[in-house]
Amino acid sequence: MTPVHSSSPADVPQLGLRERKKIKTRTAIRDATYALIEEQGYEATTVEQIAERAEVSPSTVFRYFPTKEDIVLTDEYDSVMQDELRARPADEPWMESVRHILHRALDVSEADHEITRLRAHLMIQVPAVRARMMESMSVTGRLLAEVIAERAGRDADDLEVRVQTMSLIGGLTEVYQYWAENGMRDDLHGLTDRALHVLEHGLPPKKP
Amino acid sequence: MTPVHSSSPADVPQLGLRERKKIKTRTAIRDATYALIEEQGYEATTVEQIAERAEVSPSTVFRYFPTKEDIVLTDEYDSVMQDELRARPADEPWMESVRHILHRALDVSEADHEITRLRAHLMIQVPAVRARMMESMSVTGRLLAEVIAERAGRDADDLEVRVQTMSLIGGLTEVYQYWAENGMRDDLHGLTDRALHVLEHGLPPKKP
DNA sequence: TAGCTTTTGAGAGCTACTCTCATTTTATGG
DNA sequence: CCATAAAATGAGAGTAGCTCTCAAAAGCTA
């Protein structure tokens, strides 16, 4: 859900020079982007500026990332989440498994909490980013659906499975949005638990 | 959810000439857009072409619609739905109310089923359109939240209310997507009922 | 070192979208 | 009915995201 971008430069030793350079360029572009956005904001930052600071040509930027939004938003963590979900005991209720990996994902994102916050900020400020984020959430949803389908003994293309999954994604996206709108003060773990409770048992009556 | 664009030209008599012309221009742009998209596809259709066929200048097109996607997607029906939802008996369980207005909305969209299908098609073909549609769904969600909050005796800004609402929206969006992907053969009413059942009672076990 | 493949940069081109300013069109008040 | 204000339009210039092509540079293989 929330990614890591700053890869330690030493953890890929056996790769060829070509591959290593690619990774370097990729992170250079991302870092340049994050820096510029914090200085000037998202819209004010042009791809040309990004290219300049990353010391590559604009063409190269687009070779690495299809759109400007993707520079900020791409995770490589979807499949990791999927694997972790699969690693949970097969007889565990899937909602319980989801709860587990969500909290794990939150732990990871806390390590990168600068970026988590920047993204949250962009999400409520920049419509294009929000839209792109929803896109990527629905991709995550597809992966989730496969695992949920396994557990439920159903097909991943099942309407029921897909609806269940995307309703989950929708609810969780709203948690993030809520958190961002309220100044990122609340504890995301707590909010997530409240959300999962609603999704499992429906709206509890009254309270305020 | 799905809008009407072709407004009968006679149902706005007491409006000034100015207002009438505006409406005419608006629908001219929309009709031109729909026609061109069916002839050439979405991407191949430029705003310049749209302007030409609608007999206005490109500037005017952008004065009426902020983005190209909006020409295809803007509904004026959100507030109508909200009103209808409010008109339901106050003691009716809100899920039941939602079911009612969804089926009503589907009836309306059947009247315009050309456009409903075109949109569904664009939704699975054009990422930008899909993204924009999700945006507009989440706006609908905000309106829904207000009514659901009333019924549940809660605040519309409540995390619980917002999560419930957006999970509903997420699930329903997936119904539309499912329908589009499967050649728009199924009955949307039936699919919607199945979705609502999942959202209310969770994933039923096994079946295929 | 030679020859092959991959990556990069330069640059041209398209289109969505914005802004400004002059011109036309509609509304209004005397 | 005309003069004047207000609103809508068109023309045009400009920005930026994004695509494509082609030739030069860099890494790989023998």
Side-chain angles (χ1 to χ4, degrees):
Chain A
M1 217 164 220
T2 313
V4 174
H5 71 304
S6 48
S7 47
S8 341
D11 56 358
V12 271
Q14 75 293 11
L15 258 47
L17 178 54
R18 227 169 231 172
E19 304 302 314
R20 269 177 287 155
K21 264 206 161 161
K22 276 215 253 186
I23 294 176
K24 245 171 148 178
T25 308
R26 212 180 161 77
T27 67
I29 294 173
R30 252 202 289 244
D31 291 347
T33 307
Y34 284 131
L36 283 165
I37 288 180
E38 291 202 63
E39 289 170 21
Q40 322 172 333
Y42 181 83
E43 330 249 40
T45 300
T46 77
V47 173
E48 217 168 338
Q49 294 174 329
I50 293 171
E52 194 177 351
R53 183 163 306 196
E55 298 185 282
V56 294
S57 76
S59 331
T60 302
V61 173
F62 286 113
R63 230 175 247 123
Y64 279 79
F65 299 93
T67 73
K68 188 173 141 191
E69 295 106 58
D70 280 284
I71 308 179
V72 184
L73 291 179
T74 29
D75 333 345
E76 294 86 9
Y77 284 74
D78 274 356
S79 56
V80 176
M81 267 184 65
Q82 198 185 23
D83 290 346
E84 287 213 43
L85 197 50
R86 279 227 173 74
R88 303 290 312 170
D91 57 334
E92 184 179 55
W94 63 265
M95 199 63 167
E96 204 50 45
S97 307
V98 166
R99 188 189 320 271
H100 264 97
I101 64 148
L102 282 178
H103 284 294
R104 280 236 33 198
L106 288 179
D107 290 339
V108 172
S109 84
E110 268 160 27
D112 251 315
H113 91 294
E114 297 276 319
I115 291 166
T116 307
R117 297 177 84 85
L118 176 59
R119 284 188 182 191
H121 190 237
L122 293 177
M123 172 160 161
I124 57 177
Q125 296 279 334
V126 186
V129 171
R130 183 168 51 244
R132 192 68 196 66
M133 191 176 288
M134 284 182 163
E135 268 290 301
S136 96
M137 286 296 261
S138 82
V139 171
T140 307
R142 287 310 172 92
L143 299 180
L144 248 182
E146 287 178 34
V147 182
I148 292 180
E150 278 177 25
R151 293 283 177 87
R154 284 170 158 271
D155 202 275
D157 288 330
D158 239 35
L159 175 69
E160 274 77 9
V161 170
R162 288 177 57 170
V163 166
Q164 180 73 283
T165 307
M166 280 308 296
S167 103
L168 179 61
I169 294 286
L172 293 175
T173 310
E174 194 66 10
V175 168
Y176 199 49
Q177 177 105 15
Y178 178 94
W179 179 72
E181 282 177 15
N182 288 66
M184 311 177 198
R185 276 185 293 273
D186 300 299
D187 172 41
L188 269 172
H189 289 275
L191 298 183
T192 303
D193 278 336
R194 284 168 64 190
L196 290 178
H197 186 271
V198 171
L199 293 172
E200 234 180 327
H201 305 107
L203 245 190
K206 294 262 176 186
K207 204 180 76 182
Chain B
M1 220 165 218
T2 313
V4 174
H5 71 305
S6 48
S7 46
S8 339
D11 55 0
V12 270
Q14 74 292 10
L15 257 46
L17 176 54
R18 226 167 234 174
E19 306 302 315
R20 268 176 290 156
K21 265 206 162 163
K22 276 214 254 186
I23 293 175
K24 246 174 153 175
T25 308
R26 209 181 163 75
T27 68
I29 293 172
R30 253 202 289 247
D31 291 346
T33 306
Y34 284 131
L36 284 166
I37 288 180
E38 291 203 66
E39 289 170 21
Q40 322 173 333
Y42 181 83
E43 330 249 42
T45 301
T46 75
V47 173
E48 216 167 339
Q49 292 174 330
I50 294 171
E52 193 177 354
R53 183 164 305 195
E55 298 184 284
V56 295
S57 76
S59 331
T60 302
V61 174
F62 285 113
R63 230 175 246 123
Y64 279 78
F65 299 94
T67 73
K68 190 173 139 189
E69 294 107 57
D70 280 285
I71 307 178
V72 184
L73 292 179
T74 28
D75 330 347
E76 294 84 10
Y77 283 76
D78 274 356
S79 56
V80 176
M81 267 183 65
Q82 197 184 25
D83 290 348
E84 287 213 41
L85 196 50
R86 280 231 172 71
R88 304 287 314 168
D91 57 336
E92 185 179 54
W94 63 264
M95 198 66 164
E96 205 50 46
S97 307
V98 167
R99 188 189 320 274
H100 263 98
I101 64 150
L102 282 179
H103 284 294
R104 280 236 35 200
L106 288 178
D107 290 339
V108 172
S109 84
E110 268 160 26
D112 252 316
H113 91 297
E114 298 276 320
I115 290 165
T116 307
R117 296 177 85 85
L118 176 59
R119 283 186 182 194
H121 191 237
L122 293 177
M123 171 158 162
I124 58 177
Q125 297 277 336
V126 186
V129 172
R130 183 168 50 246
R132 192 68 196 70
M133 191 176 286
M134 284 181 164
E135 268 288 303
S136 96
M137 286 297 259
S138 81
V139 172
T140 308
R142 287 312 173 91
L143 298 179
L144 248 182
E146 287 177 36
V147 182
I148 291 180
E150 278 176 24
R151 292 285 177 85
R154 284 170 160 269
D155 200 275
D157 288 331
D158 240 33
L159 175 70
E160 273 77 9
V161 170
R162 289 177 55 171
V163 165
Q164 179 74 283
T165 307
M166 280 308 295
S167 105
L168 179 63
I169 294 286
L172 292 175
T173 310
E174 194 65 10
V175 168
Y176 199 49
Q177 176 104 14
Y178 178 95
W179 178 72
E181 282 175 15
N182 288 65
M184 310 176 199
R185 279 185 294 273
D186 300 300
D187 172 41
L188 270 173
H189 289 275
L191 297 184
T192 301
D193 279 337
R194 284 169 63 193
L196 291 177
H197 186 271
V198 171
L199 293 172
E200 232 178 328
H201 304 105
L203 246 189
K206 295 262 177 190
K207 205 178 80 184

